[in-house]
Amino acid sequence: MSHISVKNISFGYTNKTILNVISLDIASGEIITLLGPNGCGKSTLIKLMLGLHRPGEGSICLDGVDISRLGSKTIARAIAYVPQIHRSYFPYTVMDIVLMGRIPHKTFFYRYSKEDINIAHDAMERLSISHLAERPYTELSGGERQLAVVARAIAQGAKTLIMDEPATGLDYGNQLRLLEEIIRLSQEGYTFIKSTHSPEHALWVADRAIMIKNGTIMADGKCDQIINSENLFHLYNARVNVMWVNNAFQICVPRAISDYTQPDSDAERKKAFIMHNRSQSLMQ
């Protein structure tokens, strides 16, 4: 039985279809990456899987139970959510924010236990943000806030994390640390469903990529099989070469750059990039 099963769902607003007959199955322990251009329906699909929206047609099941029959606390104990952008207008400390992940396990009148505090500390340690524990969340950089929200999701104790562009705002080092933590947690049995605008992130850590365009699934399969130049062109209307580095991992290089690897100067490199993209646009 699939951990999460999406069957023939459609969703839209008045006179606008966002998702059109989407079906997919996700197994426990998988790392799934959702790829697609802005406005293709990735975030909407995420909200449907969280039970925040109801599909107009079709169904979504969590471990065989229709998600519409589950309460919000039950869903929160099973699935943690990392949004694209999280704002707080009250100066909670980072520890307070991370501890909020424990709320689904509490009754209405509650106090955090020593176990809750230890879980929160462990989550912050995993992401190397323990030094921020007493800092006001409102004073953090965008990247630091994002790491705090990821730590909150880990502290929540759910074994499935749904992440909407989790690397947004993170510097390069923190992006790599986050990807490493995703791999480590998946080895402990966690399931990840994450959207991203970086195909490389999918190639580096994901088991499977799902490409969405115009509200439908364009491709679904193993990352090294479907993340290729042809599919990326159809998905993003951008010409990209997918290249191996030392036969160890793959990267995506805009064709305009890879075709001009040794310009005589920075000015010539930039000019070549612009002219190449113009010529490609005229050919389309």
Side-chain angles (χ1 to χ4, degrees), residues 106-121:
K106 300 297 178 182
T107 57
F108 188 76
F109 297 102
Y110 67 89
R111 294 179 64 183
Y112 293 120
S113 66
K114 186 175 181 181
E115 181 186 13
D116 294 326
I117 292 168
N118 289 338
I119 288 170
H121 275 300

Side-chain angles (χ1 to χ4, degrees), residues 207-280:
D207 301 304
R208 183 172 143 214
I210 297 170
M211 295 180 167
I212 302 173
K213 185 173 184 180
N214 298 327
T216 62
I217 293 178
M218 191 191 92
D220 179 354
K222 291 185 177 180
C223 295
D224 59 354
Q225 293 177 357
I226 70 166
I227 299 178
N228 54 49
S229 299
E230 182 180 357
N231 280 341
L232 291 176
F233 176 73
H234 288 304
L235 194 63
Y236 296 113
N237 195 30
R239 297 191 181 278
V240 177
N241 288 330
V242 181
M243 308 170 73
W244 282 97
V245 177
N246 296 328
N247 292 318
F249 60 93
Q250 291 174 285
I251 59 171
C252 298
V253 181
R255 197 164 292 176
I257 293 175
S258 58
D259 285 353
Y260 296 92
T261 53
Q262 292 184 329
D264 293 333
S265 69
D266 283 346
E268 287 186 23
R269 171 175 55 82
K270 294 171 185 176
K271 181 180 178 181
F273 182 83
I274 292 168
M275 295 305 295
H276 183 89
N277 278 324
R278 281 182 184 168
S279 66
Q280 293 296 335

